[in-house]
Amino acid sequence: MTALAHERPETMSEFTAIGSENGLDLDEVVWQAWKAMELPEGYRAEIIEGAIEVSPTGRLSHARTVNRLRNALVRHLGEGEYSAYQDANVIFRRKGWIPDLFVAPEDLEPYADEDGLGVDAAAVRLVAEVVSPGRRNEDRDRVRKRREYARAGIPVYVIVDDHDAQGTVTVLTEPRPDKGDWLGVLRVPYGTDTEIPKGPAMGFVIGEAITGPKRA
């Protein structure tokens, strides 16, 4: 495994060839490639549905919304056993995601993955994404990550979406890992208070203080 990181093949096909020679399956090859990546500042890489996706960090408006959401969640969670996190890897079966925000135990040490790269998805009680502009970014949060977070059995997925109609908040609950989808779907326009119905963040309200006012 260490040799893969040190040899640093230039393309995915080279990683695949090396993986085949060493008897690795494709998920393991992608995992090793992801661990070996060195990105320029301002970019991040995730493994989504078996592929590595590289994306830039969000714009200023994106950062403002994420920070408002996190600050409000921190106040809501108080001094309990759960905290709100940013810029950390969530690991699930050789996949690695970097949600804009997630809620997990204050003490993450027991839930660290075997490589120490992030927290096991089983410990995550809520994930949230603030959608960035562009078809690829929108599809990632609305479609591909929606499926991935459901497959991981994360109980609540919140999507704050400036680019859906005049702005919407979607709260997904009751994941169906076998279907890669959710039974509970609540989608409301900006300007409508949305309450988290379960988990450590139960009762937390997403409203105009986080999203901005209702749009014409």
Side-chain angles (χ1 to χ4, degrees), residues 21-180:
E21 291 172 3
N22 288 277
L24 303 177
D25 64 22
L26 184 56
D27 284 345
E28 183 67 21
V29 171
V30 173
W31 176 255
Q32 296 298 332
W34 178 71
K35 291 200 299 180
M37 292 183 74
E38 294 180 8
L39 295 175
E41 186 176 352
Y43 288 85
R44 63 183 187 177
E46 302 173 278
I47 303 174
I48 303 174
E49 297 196 322
I52 295 175
E53 294 195 21
V54 177
S55 58
T57 52
R59 301 179 180 184
L60 181 59
S61 59
H62 178 276
R64 283 199 300 260
T65 301
V66 174
N67 282 335
R68 285 197 294 261
L69 182 59
R70 183 180 183 276
N71 290 341
L73 258 176
V74 167
R75 291 192 295 270
H76 180 83
L77 294 170
E79 298 298 322
E81 62 178 300
Y82 288 90
S83 292
Y85 297 89
Q86 288 175 264
D87 299 322
N89 294 314
V90 173
I91 307 298
F92 177 71
R93 295 180 183 172
R94 291 299 192 254
K95 297 180 179 68
W97 310 308
I98 309 174
D100 287 324
L101 183 73
F102 66 89
V103 173
E106 173 75 28
D107 181 11
L108 288 182
E109 192 62 33
Y111 308 102
D113 76 292
E114 60 187 13
D115 294 300
L117 297 174
V119 59
D120 192 306
V124 175
R125 312 318 298 160
L126 176 149
V127 288
E129 300 285 1
V130 176
V131 180
S132 295
R135 181 176 298 178
R136 182 170 176 268
N137 295 325
E138 293 165 11
D139 181 71
R140 180 177 62 244
D141 292 340
R142 296 174 187 167
V143 180
R144 298 193 302 282
K145 280 193 167 183
R146 174 176 174 148
R147 291 191 294 246
E148 288 284 66
Y149 292 150
R151 290 174 184 133
I154 295 173
V156 181
Y157 178 25
V158 176
I159 306 171
V160 180
D161 195 341
D162 267 3
H163 314 287
D164 179 14
Q166 281 73 50
T168 63
V169 175
T170 301
V171 178
L172 302 168
T173 55
E174 300 179 67
R176 292 285 305 276
D178 57 329
K179 303 293 186 181

Side-chain angles (χ1 to χ4, degrees), residues 195-206:
E195 188 171 306
I196 303 301
K198 61 192 304 182
M202 185 172 64
F204 176 70
V205 174
I206 303 172

